[in-house]
Each structure stands twice: as structure tokens, then as C-alpha cells.
Amino acid sequence: MSKWIKSVGTSLFLTVPLVMTGSVQAAEKLNVVSWSGYFSPEILAKFQKQTGIEVTVDSYDSNETLLAKLKQGGAGYDVAIPSHQFIPILIKENLLERFDPVKEPYYASVVDNLKKPSWDPEGAYSVPFIWGTTSVVLDSARYKGPADSYKVLYEPPAELQGRINMFDSVSDMVDMASLYLNIPLCSEDPKQMQQVLTLLKAQKPFVKTYSSKAGSIRENLASGEIDMSMFWGGSSMRAREMKPTLKYLYPKEGVLAWVDNMVIPTGSKNPANAKAFIAFLSQPENSAMTQNFLKHQSPIKGVEPFLDAALKDAPELHIPEGTNVVFSKTCGEGAIRLADRLWTNLMR
């Protein structure tokens, strides 16, 4: 998948004037809500220095949490970063502003595979921010047995039992279990969802925590509080920098793929600042800063000259030839209801 990133691109320079209130200069504002830990202090400082816009960042740990936040009024957010499969849902719920980024110069720098994608076919509501894979990371010092299948996660050997973290996102949990069971994503077949529930219930006694908070997962892996977790490729690399024995798996069943996208929630009070922020983050040098920080893959062309050397041969970012890469899908209402019921049952 890393072949998507090619060495061409354009660079944009943004200047946003400060608002004047009488003779007193008042700082412009921007309220962002994103996955936890998605922005380095350096890139936010660079944006503020360049534009004069002060950025406040709030966080969430699942797409479902973001959806709930936006349905409750959005708390004045100007930019959000949902995963690709949730964008059609947010559009249908009238929770996103149309701002037609496809018409902006920076959109030319988006890798070709992610221009006008299936979840936003007109390029009207979103710009890709970062992409990557979801699989499993485990401590190879704790467990040295076979790790070529998700079986190690769902039917863990004795040395890993009680030392596992699973995401607390119903969509991620159901998608990975479906991949293992060879069930179509977004299944609306109650019998197939019963298979998923049976699998997850059988695994539950061996699960120590259910969390999607990347920082906490990294710390718990590094400290040995847990030894295996569902995890994202870039986040796994960051964890491996803290604990070299951690290994990111490419199971024979395949890996899930995702794209997190920048959008403007309906009712944004600072839409011009939001557009400036999105354009800024879409510059190759700034997108590379994001990739260097998060370790996931950039969706912007021309980032290679700005990337840290460690990213160029990181196993977490280079998907082996022949790996089954499955992008999560936008599920229909029937599948969502079944998944919600499954989750309620599992969490009892």
C-alpha cells in the first residue's frame, strides 16, 4: 500500500490575518476534535506562528463517540477527523459542511487512490489526513509460538491469557472478528453475527482491558501490563520504539485498512480557519511532520524528502506482498443494529 505515496507535490503558504477589535488585536480561534494524541505540539505551534490562529484540541477514542458528540451539537468544533467508513453516515445525518476541497490547489497533492474516494466521490466533504492498517501487536519475548493467524488473539495460548487488550469500538471489533471468521464485513445475517458474538464471548475471559486509547495501549505494552493488543501499524511502531520485542502481525486472514479524514462539522463558527488548517496539514512538509509523529502512512504526495529515516524500512508500514488488505465499509442500518446488540450483549 505504501506504493501510493509518490515523490511529487506542491507547497502552499498560508497567511490568515488576525482579527482586529478596535485597537486591540484578538487571536483567531480553531476548535479541533480528533483521535487522542493526533497532533504534535510542534505542528500546532508551526500553524499558529504561520497564521496567528490558536488551536484547541479535544479528543475521542472511537468513531461512535465522535458521532455522538456531533449529534449532540458538536460543542463548537471546526475540524474533526473521522475514519472513512463514518463519513457517509455523517453526511447522511447532515453533520458535515460541504466545502469542496477538490477545487483547492492542495487537493492535487492527495495520492491518486484517495482522490474522490467511494466515501466522498465528489471530493466535497473531506480530505485524507492519515491512513494505515489495523492488526495485532504482541510481545515476542513473552510468546514465541505461531503468530500467522488471528487465532493467537481469539484463542490465546496460556502465556497471553489475561494479558490482552481489545479495542472498545464495536465497528473495529466486529470487522476484525469477521475477517478471522471469513464473514463478509457489515453482515446483516443474524446467524453470522451470532458466530462473531460466540467468538468474542469465548475470548472475553482472557481479555484484561477494552480500550482504543493509543497512548494507554502503548504505555501498557511497554510496561508489560499487557502483552498483546489490537493495534494500528503506526501506533505499533511507536510502541516498538519503547519496547523492541514488540512485533506487528500480518495474519494470513489479512489486515484491516482505514483512512482518517479532515472534515468540517456543521455549525462550525470558524470555517475559514478550518479550511486554512486543512490546507496547511495537506502540504507535503507538514503531512510528513504528521507521519513522523504518528508513524502511520501519509496520503500526500512528495513527503519522502521530509520523512525520518526509521520510517523508510519499518515493518509496520510496509505491507508484505500478497497480504489481503480489507478497507472497512460503511454498514447499513441492519448491520449496525446487529452490531450494537452484539456489543451490548458482550459488555454485560
Side-chain angles (χ1 to χ4, degrees):
M1 299 296 288
S2 54
K3 64 179 179 290
W4 290 2
I5 304 172
K6 302 175 184 176
S7 299
V8 294
T10 56
S11 180
L12 306 174
F13 184 77
L14 304 171
T15 55
V16 179
L18 296 177
V19 171
M20 301 297 293
T21 305
S23 59
V24 179
Q25 201 173 52
E28 291 272 11
K29 303 289 185 181
L30 182 72
N31 295 314
V32 177
V33 62
S34 81
W35 295 91
S36 178
Y38 250 30
F39 296 103
S40 68
E42 291 77 14
I43 201 161
L44 296 179
K46 181 179 179 181
F47 177 72
Q48 181 170 346
K49 181 179 180 181
Q50 188 166 303
T51 66
I53 299 170
E54 292 182 2
V55 182
T56 301
V57 180
D58 195 3
S59 65
Y60 51 86
D61 57 11
S62 74
N63 285 294
E64 291 85 1
T65 301
L66 172 63
L67 177 62
K69 281 177 178 281
L70 296 183
K71 289 180 81 168
Q72 291 166 6
Y77 296 127
D78 303 304
V79 174
I81 307 187
S83 297
H84 67 277
Q85 71 271 28
F86 266 69
I87 287 180
I89 297 171
L90 296 173
I91 293 171
K92 184 179 179 181
E93 296 278 348
N94 295 314
L95 295 172
L96 300 184
E97 296 280 0
R98 178 170 183 147
F99 65 107
D100 291 311
V102 70
K103 298 177 181 178
E104 299 298 326
Y106 65 79
Y107 201 84
S109 291
V110 174
V111 293
D112 294 340
N113 305 62
L114 295 181
K115 286 177 180 171
K116 297 184 179 180
S118 59
W119 52 89
D120 185 12
E122 296 180 19
Y125 293 92
S126 65
V127 179
F129 173 67
I130 202 83
W131 75 275
T133 61
T134 306
S135 181
V136 176
V137 61
L138 63 76
D139 188 346
S140 61
R142 164 73 69 165
Y143 172 71
K144 302 181 184 298
D148 63 343
S149 167
Y150 287 112
K151 183 175 182 178
V152 71
L153 181 70
Y154 294 113
E155 302 175 45
E159 54 264 53
L160 294 174
Q161 291 177 8
R163 308 188 63 79
I164 300 169
N165 175 72
M166 297 293 286
F167 287 170
D168 60 357
S169 164
V170 58
S171 55
D172 289 324
M173 287 276 283
V174 171
D175 281 356
M176 185 169 284
S178 297
L179 195 60
Y180 174 58
L181 295 170
N182 197 27
I183 289 171
L185 300 190
C186 296
S187 173
E188 297 190 13
D189 183 339
K191 291 182 179 178
Q192 291 180 333
M193 283 299 97
Q194 183 58 50
Q195 286 181 259
V196 172
L197 178 59
T198 299
L199 178 75
L200 295 177
K201 276 196 162 184
Q203 181 208 35
K204 187 176 181 180
F206 309 133
V207 176
K208 184 171 186 177
T209 52
Y210 289 90
S211 171
S212 298
K213 294 181 178 178
S216 297
I217 297 171
R218 282 197 307 274
E219 290 167 9
N220 288 337
L221 285 165
S223 68
E225 286 293 314
I226 57 173
D227 294 313
M228 180 166 58
S229 180
M230 293 178 69
F231 221 16
W232 304 285
S235 299
S236 179
M237 180 182 174
R238 293 176 73 184
R240 178 170 58 82
E241 291 175 341
M242 301 165 70
K243 191 172 193 178
T245 55
L246 294 175
K247 181 181 180 181
Y248 189 67
L249 306 184
Y250 289 97
K252 60 186 179 183
E253 298 89 358
V255 294
L256 296 168
W258 50 268
V259 185
D260 285 343
N261 301 263
M262 298 176 282
V263 300
I264 301 177
T266 299
S268 163
K269 294 180 173 61
N270 303 290
N273 294 350
K275 293 174 186 177
F277 190 58
I278 290 170
F280 169 85
L281 292 171
S282 299
Q283 296 176 47
E285 184 173 356
N286 296 330
S287 186
M289 286 180 68
T290 297
Q291 184 174 355
N292 288 335
F293 179 65
L294 291 177
K295 315 300 185 189
H296 301 307
Q297 285 96 326
S298 168
I300 300 298
K301 299 172 184 176
V303 297
E304 285 87 350
F306 309 106
L307 291 181
D308 293 342
L311 272 65
K312 296 178 181 178
D313 58 359
E316 297 88 349
L317 305 186
H318 293 82
I319 302 168
E321 195 73 29
T323 300
N324 181 28
V325 178
V326 181
F327 277 81
S328 299
K329 297 180 179 180
T330 303
C331 297
E333 291 183 7
I336 292 171
R337 282 196 299 271
L338 282 174
D340 286 344
R341 286 206 291 268
L342 175 153
W343 188 253
T344 300
N345 193 321
L346 180 65
M347 291 293 111
R348 282 177 184 161

